[in-house]
Amino acid sequence: MPPVPVDPNPTRSAAVRRPSAEEVAAASDRTVPDVTGPDLLVLFSGINPSLYSAATGHHFARPGNRFWPALHGAGFTDRLLRPSEQHLLPALGLGITNVVERATARADELSPEEYVAGGARLAERVGRLRPRYLAVLGVTAYRAAFGRPKARLGPQDEQIAGVPVWVLPNPSGLNAHFQLPALITEFAALRAAARP
């Protein structure tokens, strides 16, 4: 695995102040910009931003979210990154986006129509970026966005915009079905497939 690049602007990566409860509540319906670049090995797609992520501007930022520990534990990064270091991912061939762009307190606040529209937008993004793999974090979101009611975790038979799809468990702390060791196992299987 390539080492995590040295941040030319280390103050940008410094610990970020936690948003207040008022700031988090005010983040409803905001978006978090994608983290992308050329030649991506994996484009990770969350379901939609949490209010906490929208308040900070960083993907998977809510305390208790296991995305960053799973990414490191699976060997995608050589150290545990903080959400505020998400800008370092493209140099490692990794990107982040979401199926649905608007932030909510819980994913169950999203409508079926939002999932379908989000799936169409995600397919367009994938077609433009051409990552080696699209990793959707949440089997229920993948089923809803792409009309695949029988989809399971792992590699999918179907491709999106000609790109292979891998469905991973949702790393949210609210997903009690998968603890960190199991998440790492799932992420590691994708890493093994994605690395040249």
Side-chain angles (χ1 to χ4, degrees):
M1 119 193 57
V4 173
V6 174
D7 190 350
N9 184 3
T11 57
R12 178 170 53 177
S13 304
V16 177
R17 178 186 68 81
R18 287 185 175 215
S20 69
E22 294 79 19
E23 290 169 321
V24 170
S28 183
D29 296 330
R30 285 190 197 160
T31 61
V32 178
D34 291 346
V35 176
T36 64
D39 304 318
L40 294 177
L41 291 173
V42 180
L43 177 63
F44 292 95
S45 178
I47 299 170
N48 75 309
S50 69
L51 297 182
Y52 196 99
S53 283
T56 65
H58 302 118
H59 293 274
F60 305 106
R62 184 180 178 88
N65 191 296
R66 286 92 42 98
F67 175 79
W68 299 100
L71 201 68
H72 173 59
F76 278 108
T77 62
D78 64 358
R79 67 175 174 84
L80 178 61
L81 297 177
R82 295 181 299 271
S84 61
E85 295 178 297
Q86 66 185 17
H87 61 279
L88 299 175
L89 291 179
L92 301 172
L94 306 174
I96 304 177
T97 188
N98 287 290
V99 174
V100 177
E101 296 176 337
R102 77 176 182 100
T104 60
R106 296 178 55 97
D108 61 11
E109 296 175 36
L110 302 172
S111 71
E113 295 78 18
E114 284 180 286
Y115 277 111
V116 172
R121 277 191 306 273
L122 181 57
E124 181 278 325
R125 212 170 294 138
V126 167
R128 184 171 31 86
L129 293 170
R130 307 296 304 165
R132 183 170 295 162
Y133 279 93
L134 168 65
V136 179
L137 287 89
V139 70
T140 302
Y142 177 73
R143 289 171 180 162
F146 295 103
R148 307 281 197 262
K150 297 182 180 179
R152 300 204 180 278
L153 294 175
Q156 304 302 301
D157 293 332
E158 303 86 7
Q159 296 186 345
I160 301 296
V163 172
V165 179
W166 200 289
V167 177
L168 293 169
N170 181 349
S172 168
L174 300 175
N175 181 2
H177 298 297
F178 278 87
Q179 297 306 311
L180 184 57
L183 284 171
I184 289 171
T185 298
E186 296 289 337
F187 274 61
L190 170 59
R191 180 183 176 270
R195 287 290 177 203

